[in-house]
Amino acid sequence: MGFDDYGGQLKHHVSAHPRVDRKTGELFAFAYSSEKPEVYLSVFDQKRQLLSSITIPVVCPRMLHDFQITEHYAIVPDLPAEMLPEKSIRENKFIVDYNKEGTTRYGIIDRYSQDPTSIKWFETSTHYVFHYANSWEETNENGETVVVVHGCKYDVIDIEISPDVEKQTLQDIKNGKETPSDLVRYNFNMTTSESSEEILIKGFGGEFPIVNQDFIGYQNRWVYMPYDDFSRTDDSREAMENRFFSCMMKYDLQEKKIVAQVPFGENCTTGEVFFQ
């Protein structure tokens, strides 16, 4: 374990979720800046050689936790969780502030491009996504390429740092400061520049969607997600330290239906899951 800059080729830090295309063996390293309105994407081949590196401008310094790839594209979210140090100091709040009226968009660019002006932007309704499930390309009835993105979307988030963060999250959901997540599908038409949003599951409180890693960037069927049924009523410290997500779900992205749901039982929970 330790820091790896790929022999000095990697010039920026890396977000929590780099992507590996197992069909090509390529690694995609993505990062955002807390100081500058830009994000970074570097691509390495299976021999650890740098193929491309690009800096892409965004609206302002933003916390952009995750990103996506497809067979031919990289997908850059530009979502309104804004890094505002002056406001944070002035109001004694966490540095990340969710702007409910902020520009929300996705940039799609050839995954080896080194020209930031070649990115195509698609604006959407205001929302935030911490974690995406998978993305791929489809061809519609008109022969147009449509980039499909799946993720757990929030209409409102309230990011705070506190010792009772889990209790606060439940209270925020109850009083409307934060909304339970939706499983969502976005469609971005690369020819017409049109986009659409489809809610697959409304307000189910799921997170960390994961797929078989062999299909990252390519069409797949199953996604697995822990979720919370918000049924717990015990607010004691012991209960807080022994909870996160209370159930597990398997969802069919092709048939657009829930296949299985597994409750873990009283005081049994899980956190982030992974499919190797």
Side-chain angles (χ1 to χ4, degrees):
M1 297 292 289
F3 182 75
D4 185 355
D5 64 2
Y6 279 61
Q9 298 176 98
L10 181 60
K11 303 298 185 181
H12 57 80
H13 57 285
V14 180
S15 75
H17 302 284
R19 301 290 179 194
V20 174
D21 182 336
R22 288 187 175 175
K23 295 185 185 298
T24 66
E26 294 165 345
L27 170 72
F28 294 77
F30 173 80
Y32 62 88
S33 172
S34 60
E35 300 176 347
K36 299 178 181 179
E38 56 193 32
V39 297
Y40 316 101
L41 178 66
S42 294
V43 186
F44 296 87
D45 67 18
Q46 58 187 332
K47 296 181 179 180
R48 297 172 53 88
Q49 296 303 303
L50 181 67
L51 297 178
S52 64
S53 186
I54 186 173
T55 299
I56 299 171
V58 293
V59 170
C60 65
R62 288 176 156 184
M63 183 190 74
L64 303 169
H65 185 71
D66 199 3
F67 79 112
Q68 288 283 274
I69 61 170
T70 68
E71 182 178 4
H72 299 103
Y73 299 106
I75 303 162
V76 177
D78 190 5
L79 312 179
E82 300 177 352
M83 313 282 269
L84 304 171
E86 292 183 0
K87 182 177 180 180
S88 172
I89 294 171
R90 185 171 62 251
E91 299 181 6
N92 194 29
K93 290 184 176 181
F94 186 50
I95 190 172
V96 179
D97 184 67
Y98 182 68
N99 183 355
K100 296 179 181 179
E101 299 179 354
T103 298
T104 307
R105 60 182 187 166
Y106 288 85
I108 302 179
I109 190 170
D110 181 282
R111 63 190 208 169
Y112 308 113
S113 176
Q114 299 186 67
D115 177 12
T117 65
S118 67
I119 197 166
K120 181 184 285 288
W121 290 105
F122 296 83
E123 289 201 19
T124 69
S125 60
T126 305
H127 69 272
Y128 194 81
V129 175
F130 287 100
H131 300 103
Y132 297 94
N134 198 20
S135 300
W136 60 73
E137 300 158 33
E138 295 182 353
T139 302
N140 66 15
E141 61 276 10
N142 297 320
E144 299 161 343
T145 297
V146 177
V147 173
V148 176
V149 178
H150 293 90
C152 291
K153 182 205 76 164
Y154 299 81
D155 292 326
V156 180
I157 60 171
D158 183 37
I159 303 174
E160 296 288 347
I161 300 298
S162 106
D164 291 318
V165 63
E166 292 185 358
K167 180 177 180 179
Q168 186 62 48
T169 297
L170 292 176
Q171 292 173 343
D172 286 347
I173 289 172
K174 291 175 182 178
N175 64 27
K177 289 181 67 180
E178 184 165 316
T179 58
S181 62
D182 306 326
L183 180 63
V184 66
R185 168 180 166 138
Y186 288 103
N187 303 288
F188 302 111
N189 190 308
M190 298 299 291
T191 300
T192 67
S193 299
E194 296 175 323
S195 65
S196 64
E197 173 190 295
E198 179 181 2
I199 303 297
L200 302 177
I201 311 176
K202 179 67 176 176
F204 79 118
E207 254 300 343
F208 305 116
I210 196 72
V211 303
N212 184 331
Q213 299 295 285
D214 288 344
F215 292 92
I216 290 294
Y218 302 89
Q219 189 168 15
N220 74 292
R221 185 165 188 177
W222 314 113
V223 59
Y224 304 85
M225 299 168 287
Y227 70 99
D228 199 332
D229 61 4
F230 306 111
S231 61
R232 184 184 56 78
T233 57
D234 186 354
D235 286 338
S236 68
R237 167 56 58 186
E238 292 77 12
M240 285 295 169
E241 291 177 347
N242 194 37
R243 74 163 298 277
F244 195 20
F245 293 102
S246 59
C247 309
M248 192 73 178
M249 177 187 297
K250 180 179 181 180
Y251 187 85
D252 187 334
L253 296 173
Q254 301 303 314
E255 296 292 330
K256 300 180 180 179
K257 65 180 182 181
I258 297 172
V259 175
Q261 292 173 274
V262 181
F264 297 131
E266 186 175 2
N267 292 327
C268 295
T269 58
T270 188
E272 187 167 359
V273 299
F274 193 71
F275 193 124
Q276 181 60 34

